[in-house]
Amino acid sequence: MPPPSDIVKVAIEWPGANAQLIEIDQKKPLSSIVREVCDGWSLSGAEQFALRYADGPQLYITEQSRCDIKNGTILRLAISPARAARQLLERIQSHGIDARLEALKELAKLSADPTFAAEFINMEGIGTLARLVESGTHFGEMLAFTLTAFLELMDHGIVSWDLLSLSFIKQIAGYVNQPMVDVSILQRSLAILESMVLNSHSLYHRVAQEITVGQLIGHLQVSNQEIQTYAIALINALFLKAPEDRRQEMASTLAQKHLRSIILNHIIRGNRPIKAEMAHQLYVLQVLTFNLLEERMMTKMDPNDQAQRDIIFELRRIAFDGDDTAGTEKRKAMYTKDYKMLGFTNHVNPAMDFTQTPPGMLALDNMLYLAKLHQDTYIRIVLENSSREDKHECPFGRCAIELTRMLCEILQVGELPNEGCNDYHPMFFTHERAWEEFFCVCIQLLNKTWKEMRATAEDFNKVMQVVREQITRALAMKPASLDQLKSKLRGLSYSEILRLRQTERMSQDDFQSPPIIELRERIQPEILELIKQQRLNRLCEGSCFRKLGNRRRQEKFWFCRLSLNHKVLHYGDLDESPQGEVPFELLSDKIPVSDIKSVVTGRDCPHMKEKSALKQNKEVLELAFSVFYDPDETLNFVAPNKYEYCIWTDGLCALLGREMGSDLTRSDLDTLINMEMKLRLLDLENITIPEAPPPVPKEPSSYNFTYNYS
């Protein structure tokens, strides 16, 4: 007979004593259980003690978290959070340097515990740490542990960042501005300033006054990638929270300080591989830089604005070098003809072509850049098309406007950065005017594709679809420079796109005859079972997941894997991302598969409902899933990528005996079925069928037929 569900068997340790093996009745108050444990070791003052986990983060157990205790868990009797906080606060304020250092070390470790953090903060512990920093008397290791504890305590969100004094901000900024400072202190100072900027509008202005971009750029030229990452994170935070009228000014300052070339030479082309967090920060910087184009993208052209009209006149002048001394009527007719040759939709008043947003005035900016800085290319495109037959000419103006709109969509101009996305493009860091140069490469591609397709005006949308595919395929190859982009695009001609489409279509639509369909249906259950076993085997190997909710850029991880008998999910926290498989012994928590009630994904997950608007983006939602288990608890996941998401959701569904439904499952199923059918058909082709004997020739008939017509 199985034990009652509210009885948990655990071991409890105490220094210098034998461990107690007890049964915890979850219906009894936690204080009563602690008292019984103290009585077992003849310890008085049970109210001064509490239970903690012996492994992992060693968190305190509370009435709210006690339901997480599983059979076989090892616990430890420790002094209560309130008593520990009081003792540490007294030791931190003592005059002995050694005692204070040891207290700060222990505080830095305990501050990750929310129960302890709440007690320490209630005793004005945050203020004590802030005063230690403001005093300027702490240095080296002591200061590093002070800043670590401060970060951990603030990360719980119990107190507001707005409570920090200007003196504290100046002191932290001073550590960043010092030419020579300990790496651990610099790292924590950058993280604190980033959190200030992201969590408080008023603190943004104070930090912006204390920190100069030039000093942050200096930290990008060091050899420590962690420092580089925190420095870029702070630059991104200042960029993100800056008022709109300040962003262009900040971008100009960053350009003057050669931020792009420093990132290119010291990070992207450095000797060290770029870690995931650095890749994310480069992606964020890329997005924020392109978002500076949003204002022009959403600005309509004013047909009555003479300065804006002069830009169109300049495009015409560069293309045709026309004579403006003719009479009014003749000049008007000449302009109309030239605007038609330039490919504008409105030949009489081309300013009307730029009244739709997006792309608004951004398209005109791109065209002017091409005409002035790549004049030969511009003139060649315009004159080449004006000499073609009317039905085959590629309308430059219309193409440039639609291409600008397309590039804004591909690069998501105007959208906020996605949490966890690392999709940065190295080539955009190789040129000061990367956006404009990218447009110039793509407009030449469009003109080339138009010729290859022998397109007419009716084919305009088809050409744009092919060009979009060419650009997205080339970007997916991550070219390191604009020259490499050109090389990738040359290999993606229209004929190559057709070949790729045909190949992909054949892989999807192969074997559609009725006998093959029947064979497919026959072997599908066998292949589906194979996929289920593969998913379960991957769950047994386990996966590492990143914890959400940190305001800082300090990665925290946890690991989860399925027991080899498929009966228990083991999980636990890790200090860093593991390089290989994590043993079951290091995973302190577990969930019996029999207790799992359901698996939910996306917006139905509890941890997605609690996230802010910035974090609740499409990418994170697509990777989120939760396991609901008895009594009413959840285990929340955010997969590192789409592959791991499909592996885990499919595997969990297989455990629960439910149908797997991820895109990856369907893709795997189709691939394996097609492979199996090809093998079986290949076997049939290898069978030698004996030839039939030649037919015996018939002898001439010896019969005579007499017909009687009477």
Side-chain angles (χ1 to χ4, degrees):
M1 180 177 179
S5 59
D6 50 8
I7 300 297
V8 184
K9 296 181 179 181
V10 300
I12 302 180
E13 300 176 339
W14 175 254
N18 294 327
Q20 295 186 38
L21 302 178
I22 69 170
E23 293 184 352
I24 293 180
D25 186 350
Q26 296 286 33
K27 295 180 180 179
K28 294 176 62 175
L30 194 58
S31 57
S32 300
I33 297 171
V34 172
R35 186 176 296 107
E36 291 176 5
V37 172
C38 290
D39 291 342
W41 283 310
S42 302
L43 298 174
S44 59
E47 67 277 0
Q48 298 293 320
F49 292 92
L51 294 177
R52 291 170 59 185
Y53 288 100
D55 301 318
Q58 301 181 8
L59 300 178
Y60 278 102
I61 295 171
T62 63
E63 289 289 355
Q64 292 73 32
S65 64
R66 62 184 296 179
C67 56
D68 296 330
I69 303 174
K70 306 301 178 184
N71 281 320
T73 302
I74 301 176
L75 305 179
R76 179 175 297 159
L77 185 66
I79 60 174
S80 67
R83 184 180 174 188
R86 190 179 308 106
Q87 289 181 357
L88 284 176
L89 202 55
E90 292 172 355
R91 290 163 59 192
I92 290 171
Q93 295 171 329
S94 68
H95 298 290
I97 294 178
D98 293 338
R100 187 180 301 176
L101 177 59
E102 290 302 316
L104 288 170
K105 283 184 180 180
E106 189 173 349
L107 176 64
K109 182 179 179 181
L110 281 175
S111 295
D113 189 301
T115 308
F116 170 84
E119 296 290 348
F120 189 81
I121 290 172
N122 287 338
M123 297 176 185
E124 302 296 330
I126 290 284
T128 301
L129 296 181
R131 286 190 292 273
L132 289 177
V133 174
E134 292 170 8
S135 68
T137 57
H138 283 57
F139 304 97
E141 195 176 21
M142 187 174 292
L143 178 58
F145 283 117
T146 303
L147 297 179
T148 301
F150 178 84
L151 267 172
E152 292 286 356
L153 292 167
M154 293 300 294
D155 191 42
H156 294 290
I158 299 174
V159 294
S160 170
W161 286 85
D162 287 315
L163 299 177
L164 299 177
S165 67
L166 182 59
S167 174
F168 179 85
I169 298 171
K170 286 180 176 293
Q171 194 67 39
I172 296 296
Y175 299 137
V176 174
N177 295 335
Q178 287 178 14
M180 297 294 293
V181 67
D182 185 80
V183 170
S184 57
I185 295 174
L186 176 59
Q187 185 185 64
R188 289 156 178 77
S189 298
L190 289 168
I192 290 173
L193 291 175
E194 182 198 4
S195 292
M196 288 181 186
V197 172
L198 293 176
N199 289 283
S200 171
H201 180 71
S202 61
L203 289 184
Y204 156 76
H205 293 285
R206 294 182 181 179
V207 173
Q209 292 172 358
E210 299 295 330
I211 295 294
T212 65
V213 172
Q215 289 159 333
L216 291 177
I217 289 179
H219 293 307
L220 300 179
Q221 302 178 57
V222 300
S223 58
N224 187 319
Q225 190 172 125
E226 295 299 322
I227 296 298
Q228 292 174 326
T229 303
Y230 279 100
I232 293 184
L234 181 52
I235 291 174
N236 287 337
L238 291 169
F239 216 138
L240 184 65
K241 293 299 180 178
E244 292 187 11
D245 57 342
R246 283 270 301 136
R247 289 178 187 170
Q248 290 289 354
E249 180 183 340
M250 185 176 176
S252 300
T253 304
L254 293 174
Q256 293 171 7
K257 298 293 184 180
H258 307 292
L259 172 66
R260 178 198 59 78
S261 60
I262 290 173
I263 290 176
L264 182 66
N265 295 325
H266 291 272
I267 299 176
I268 296 177
R269 293 178 179 172
N271 297 324
R272 299 172 306 281
I274 294 179
K275 297 180 181 178
E277 185 52 40
M278 173 61 83
H280 173 69
Q281 294 301 338
L282 292 175
Y283 154 78
V284 172
L285 182 60
Q286 172 186 292
V287 171
L288 295 177
T289 302
F290 283 147
N291 282 356
L292 296 173
L293 304 168
E294 183 181 13
E295 182 181 357
R296 294 294 285 174
M297 181 183 74
M298 300 307 295
T299 300
K300 296 181 180 181
M301 186 172 186
D302 182 0
N304 299 318
D305 189 320
Q306 188 59 42
Q308 296 179 1
R309 292 170 61 89
D310 286 344
I311 299 177
I312 298 179
F313 294 153
E314 182 69 4
L315 291 174
R316 175 194 166 275
R317 185 195 65 76
I318 295 173
F320 305 113
D321 195 17
D323 180 16
D324 291 340
T325 60
T328 303
E329 291 299 323
K330 184 177 180 181
R331 188 168 63 246
K332 184 177 180 181
M334 181 174 60
Y335 280 12
T336 300
K337 177 184 176 183
D338 290 347
Y339 291 148
K340 182 177 184 298
M341 294 171 65
L342 278 171
F344 289 112
T345 303
N346 192 319
H347 306 155
V348 178
N349 186 6
M352 300 302 297
D353 286 14
F354 301 94
T355 56
Q356 290 188 356
T357 56
M361 290 294 291
L362 184 59
L364 189 58
D365 295 342
N366 287 340
M367 295 166 70
L368 184 63
Y369 181 89
L370 174 69
K372 285 193 170 184
L373 278 84
H374 298 273
Q375 193 170 113
D376 292 343
T377 300
Y378 168 69
I379 294 174
R380 176 179 57 79
I381 292 175
V382 173
L383 295 184
E384 185 179 274
N385 285 288
S386 62
S387 62
R388 294 179 186 169
E389 299 178 37
D390 285 348
K391 67 175 184 177
H392 285 296
E393 66 180 7
C394 177
F396 170 74
R398 182 184 177 192
C399 286
I401 292 171
E402 289 303 316
L403 178 62
T404 302
R405 189 200 316 274
M406 178 196 299
L407 297 183
C408 289
E409 292 173 356
I410 291 174
L411 297 177
Q412 300 179 330
V413 175
E415 297 186 16
L416 286 173
N418 291 318
E419 183 74 17
C421 182
N422 304 334
D423 190 23
Y424 81 98
H425 296 281
M427 69 176 185
F428 290 130
F429 292 88
T430 62
H431 201 284
E432 293 293 348
R433 303 292 295 273
W435 166 264
E436 291 85 350
E437 289 293 323
F438 183 46
F439 168 83
C440 293
V441 171
C442 293
I443 194 68
Q444 294 178 72
L445 168 71
L446 196 159
N447 188 59
K448 172 175 171 287
T449 303
W450 187 283
K451 289 188 292 184
E452 291 174 348
M453 294 178 66
R454 298 185 59 81
T456 63
E458 289 76 15
D459 301 319
F460 185 86
N461 291 332
K462 294 180 182 178
V463 175
M464 296 305 295
Q465 290 174 3
V466 173
V467 170
R468 176 186 283 269
E469 187 171 346
Q470 290 171 316
I471 294 172
T472 53
R473 286 182 183 272
L475 287 177
M477 300 177 194
K478 298 292 182 182
S481 65
L482 290 165
D483 287 337
Q484 284 193 19
L485 173 67
K486 295 176 185 177
S487 176
K488 302 292 184 188
L489 291 173
R490 280 195 295 270
L492 289 169
S493 62
Y494 175 56
S495 59
E496 178 64 12
I497 292 295
L498 289 179
R499 188 192 69 79
L500 291 171
R501 287 179 174 178
Q502 181 68 16
T503 302
E504 293 168 359
R505 187 160 47 246
M506 287 296 293
S507 65
Q508 296 172 358
D509 302 333
D510 211 2
F511 305 121
Q512 294 301 312
S513 62
I516 298 300
I517 293 175
E518 181 181 350
L519 177 60
R520 181 188 183 89
E521 292 175 351
R522 187 183 306 169
I523 64 177
Q524 180 165 332
E526 176 186 340
I527 301 299
L528 190 58
E529 183 61 31
L530 178 65
I531 294 175
K532 286 182 179 180
Q533 291 304 317
Q534 185 267 347
R535 298 294 193 264
L536 292 174
N537 290 341
R538 277 288 291 109
L539 262 62
C540 291
E541 295 174 9
S543 299
C544 180
F545 301 92
R546 183 171 61 89
K547 283 196 170 184
L548 291 183
N550 296 330
R551 293 184 178 86
R552 297 170 282 111
R553 289 293 166 193
Q554 288 180 319
E555 293 283 10
K556 292 186 178 180
F557 303 93
W558 65 288
F559 197 89
C560 187
R561 62 182 296 194
L562 179 66
S563 63
L564 299 180
N565 61 5
H566 299 176
K567 292 185 177 181
V568 179
L569 276 179
H570 296 263
Y571 64 98
D573 293 335
L574 301 175
D575 294 331
E576 57 184 15
S577 180
Q579 299 301 316
E581 189 175 282
V582 176
F584 289 108
E585 295 76 20
L586 298 181
L587 304 177
S588 57
D589 301 304
K590 55 187 177 181
I591 300 173
V593 171
S594 58
D595 288 350
I596 298 178
K597 296 188 289 189
S598 63
V599 178
V600 299
T601 61
R603 294 186 184 277
D604 295 330
C605 299
H607 58 310
M608 289 297 102
K609 297 177 182 178
E610 299 170 358
K611 294 299 172 188
S612 64
L614 179 60
K615 289 187 177 179
Q616 198 175 6
N617 54 68
K618 181 180 178 182
E619 279 72 13
V620 176
L621 284 173
E622 289 178 347
L623 299 176
F625 61 99
S626 297
V627 172
F628 283 80
Y629 62 95
D630 287 331
D632 288 307
E633 300 297 325
T634 60
L635 187 62
N636 299 317
F637 300 75
V638 175
N641 51 55
K642 189 67 174 177
Y643 178 78
E644 290 290 331
Y645 169 84
C646 293
I647 287 290
W648 276 86
T649 52
D650 284 348
L652 291 170
C653 288
L655 277 176
L656 300 178
R658 298 170 187 171
E659 181 182 357
M660 300 183 296
S662 73
D663 294 337
L664 190 60
T665 300
R666 300 305 161 199
S667 174
D668 285 354
L669 186 62
D670 292 340
T671 301
L672 287 171
I673 288 176
N674 287 341
M675 287 176 58
E676 180 73 13
M677 287 194 296
K678 287 178 183 178
L679 290 173
R680 295 192 183 190
L681 291 173
L682 190 60
D683 287 340
L684 291 176
E685 291 174 1
N686 291 333
I687 296 175
T688 302
I689 302 176
E691 295 184 1
V696 178
K698 294 182 179 180
E699 296 181 357
S701 175
S702 58
Y703 295 99
N704 292 321
F705 293 94
T706 302
Y707 295 95
N708 187 356
Y709 293 99
S710 58

